[in-house]
Amino acid sequence: MACVEMIFRCLRCGHEFEEKADPKDFPKELTCPKCMSNSVRRIIKERAEEKKE
Amino acid sequence: MTYSEVEQIAGYVGNFKARIRKKARYVNETECTACRACADICPVAVPDEYQQGFSSRKAIYIPFPQAVPSAYVLDMNNCLGNNPIACGKCQEACEKKCIDYDMKDVIMEVDVGTVVVATGVDVFDPSVIPEFGYGRHANVITSMEFERLICAGGPTDGHFIRPSDRQRPRRIGFVQCVGSRSRNGGNPYCSNICCMNTVKDTLLLKEHYPDIQSSVYYMDIRAFGKGFEDLYMRSKEKGVRYIRGIPGRIDEDPDTKNLLLTVENTTANRIEKHDLDMVVLSVGVIPQRDANVVQQLLTLSKTSDGFFMESHPKLKPVDAPTKGVFFAGCAEAPKDVKDSVTQAGAAASRSNILLNAGKVKVEAITSMINKSQCTMCGICARVCPYNAITAPDKKKGIYPVVIEAACTGCGTCSAECPFDAITMRHFTDEQIMAQVETLLADKPMQKILCFACNWCSYAGGDMAGTSRLEYPSSIVLVRTMCSGRVDRKFVLHAFRCGAPLVMVSGCHFSDCHYISAVTWTQRRVERLWNDLEKWGIRPERLQLEWISAAEGQKFARVMRELEELREQVTVEEVEFTKKVLQNKK
């Protein structure tokens, strides 16, 4: 399967970021690019959009 | 058993069953005297893989001069004599009548007590780095190809020539770290063997052809083995030029096929252009391209660079995480002949210790299935990273069985069992819950409960302590063998006992001491985040972190960050959590 854009949210600093990843690779070690925490939660796109609104 | 392939390995330490395919070589190896009559008459010529394609071989051939057994093998993909028989000349020429076109692969089943993985490495393909022109410029070759050209048993009988005009080159450049120590078109790790291989090659050239001028383009020369520095110095004394800088590009003169190499000489701090007759790319090594097959056969894990991961880098450098499996050579990491032989000796010794004992000491910390609670759902068998639990059969009423010799006690099965039907010896639910209750009995609002795995995170905490790094005293640790053991009910119980913040911490994915148990930790925590959110509890109050034994500083930093998060949790929030979780599982 091709890589898809995924949205992640850091549960330590609250930073949201997008990353291209292959769903087949999950679960994998995730790191927040801002605070380097591993408490990174994968959120579905719709939910992310709701939150932005 | 040569010319054979392991297709399947089942079982566990002391009781492995290997299914081996002995491939048909179409030549009776016990009768063949390697007289060469068959190869002499064979009309088919194909590029010789062993000679890197610089010469040809016949369809019936000996793969390389030192092959064991020294018997011919028929390459059926190129032979004319197969289906329908169109040639058959080799069969006629063979006096001993060894050739049998109808020979078939033989499947063999062998019982073995231990397994040594010595699958070696492949070499990096430099054609993916376009600036070096490998594959486009005739006189840019790899170090492997150089070996064949300089070898007395090689395609030119040891007469060193360049491919374009078959003349002896006068100016040769060796480019180091091709495919190694690079994040741009290569691998980040050092391939270990290339520096000394080049030093050896330059000395070889100086011995045979003193007039050849050799230049080595490098970023560092790593000559750390016994006698290696001496060899490096000798190479310099013999007049080999060492230029610190990796070439930016190599261009070819279309008429002469000579090469123009552009390099930043970082010692002289200038861009230089060098005219050369030939360039040798010192290519790095990469994990075997089919290493995944071996990985699946033996449930092994790999490090981020793709080599097989040992059980412990210092204390068990030869053992695989799967009991009874050992490593030898480059399958585990790039290494030279001396180190490979050393590791092979160690692997043989480690194997013999097990085989001579005739018995295996099982871990004290293993799982145990309680049949009265088991519903035969099979989750335990599916999640076990070691295949140490046999799958149940509901129709036949067969319960899952823990193979104690294979169980390493990670506890993932126990944590994932939805019916609490698995008990982990020495790390029982009751023991861990009691620890949680005791730690949170007094002033829970001022505490952060951290579940830490024995091998990495707990050791990381030790490292922080021995390094005298400061971190908040609010952290209380509960040690489990693996983060995979952290059952969701432990986390919920901690919240129920009034913990404002809980952290689950384990090894980095590439360091997991239980192959893939850490992936189940991540899945479980993700499920918990979803549930907490659904129940109106902030998922931020459950934190996840991967900390290795060497990361004392990270441990201290994370704990300081958690302390800041803890201070944001209110008493009302904790009381609400307790109330919500009262009846939740």
Side-chain angles (χ1 to χ4, degrees), chain B residues 376-453:
Chain B
M376 293 184 265
C377 66
I379 289 176
C380 52
R382 213 170 53 238
V383 303
C384 178
Y386 295 88
N387 294 331
I389 303 180
T390 58
D393 190 330
K394 224 169 189 170
K395 282 183 190 162
K396 292 181 183 168
I398 299 170
Y399 285 93
V401 176
V402 176
I403 302 160
E404 290 200 16
C407 176
T408 55
C410 66
T412 305
C413 55
S414 180
E416 284 294 319
C417 177
F419 306 100
D420 287 340
I422 300 180
T423 304
M424 279 308 300
R425 293 185 179 96
H426 304 284
F427 284 87
T428 64
D429 288 2
E430 292 74 21
Q431 285 173 320
I432 294 173
M433 301 278 251
Q435 283 185 62
V436 171
E437 283 166 24
T438 310
L439 290 168
L440 296 171
D442 187 33
K443 298 177 186 166
M445 273 304 289
Q446 292 173 22
K447 288 177 183 164
I448 298 166
L449 191 85
C450 172
F451 293 98
C453 84

Side-chain angles (χ1 to χ4, degrees), chain B residues 70-246:
Chain B
S70 182
Y72 277 77
V73 58
L74 191 52
D75 170 8
M76 264 306 170
N77 291 330
N78 290 301
C79 177
L80 300 175
N82 188 33
N83 198 26
I85 291 179
C87 172
K89 286 183 177 167
C90 57
Q91 203 173 34
E92 284 168 21
C94 180
E95 274 184 25
K96 303 272 282 181
K97 302 294 169 209
C98 306
I99 298 165
D100 174 7
Y101 292 122
D102 300 321
M103 197 179 269
K104 297 269 182 289
D105 290 0
V106 178
I107 304 291
M108 304 169 84
E109 297 237 334
V110 186
D111 290 333
V112 291
T114 59
V115 177
V116 177
V117 178
T119 46
V121 278
D122 274 329
V123 288
F124 179 77
D125 175 9
S127 59
V128 301
I129 307 176
E131 54 267 36
F132 292 157
Y134 179 74
R136 284 185 289 120
H137 306 334
N139 294 322
V140 175
I141 63 169
T142 66
S143 43
M144 290 291 282
E145 289 165 344
F146 176 88
E147 288 296 329
R148 299 320 307 150
L149 287 178
I150 196 85
C151 179
T156 56
D157 295 329
H159 298 293
F160 188 57
I161 54 166
R162 66 178 195 165
S164 68
D165 53 10
R166 305 181 72 79
Q167 297 299 309
R168 180 142 57 85
R170 305 277 165 191
R171 301 157 301 175
I172 299 180
F174 290 85
V175 180
Q176 294 306 107
C177 296
V178 177
S180 304
R181 303 178 66 198
S182 162
R183 289 184 190 277
N184 185 19
N187 296 300
Y189 56 83
C190 169
S191 290
N192 195 322
I193 51 176
C194 336
C195 284
M196 291 321 295
N197 186 53
T198 294
V199 171
K200 183 265 295 175
D201 286 344
T202 58
L203 279 167
L204 209 59
L205 276 179
K206 280 286 168 200
E207 264 171 40
H208 291 297
Y209 310 100
D211 57 324
I212 288 184
Q213 191 190 53
S214 302
S215 308
V216 179
Y217 302 91
Y218 72 101
M219 53 173 116
D220 299 304
I221 292 291
R222 298 190 165 179
F224 51 81
K226 188 177 179 182
F228 287 1
E229 185 67 19
D230 235 21
L231 211 63
Y232 174 41
M233 287 302 156
R234 256 173 54 201
S235 165
K236 277 185 155 177
E237 283 161 14
K238 293 261 182 192
V240 176
R241 285 199 307 164
Y242 282 83
I243 297 150
R244 197 164 144 249
I246 298 293

Side-chain angles (χ1 to χ4, degrees), chain B residues 321-323 363 365-366 386 388 404 406-410 481 513-514:
Chain B
T322 307
K323 279 187 215 166
E363 293 279 342
I365 307 162
T366 52
Y386 295 88
E404 290 200 16
C407 176
T408 55
C410 66
M481 289 309 286
H513 283 64
Y514 298 100

Side-chain angles (χ1 to χ4, degrees), chain A residues 9-14 25-31 35-43 47 51, chain B residues 503 508-510 519 522-523 529-530 533 539-540 542-546 554 557-558 561-562 565:
Chain A
R9 193 158 78 86
C10 174
L11 293 183
R12 192 158 311 157
C13 68
D25 290 347
F26 282 88
K28 66 171 190 174
E29 189 169 327
L30 296 162
T31 306
C35 72
M36 306 310 287
S37 152
N38 300 126
S39 294
V40 174
R41 191 178 175 202
R42 201 169 132 199
I43 49 177
R47 198 184 297 171
K51 282 189 176 174
Chain B
M503 182 167 91
H508 288 283
F509 275 42
S510 56
T519 61
Q522 170 108 19
R523 285 188 182 101
W529 281 333
N530 293 339
E533 191 174 55
E540 288 83 355
L542 173 60
Q543 292 282 315
L544 182 66
E545 201 66 49
W546 312 120
K554 181 176 181 184
R557 173 180 60 79
V558 168
E561 288 171 4
L562 293 190
L565 287 181

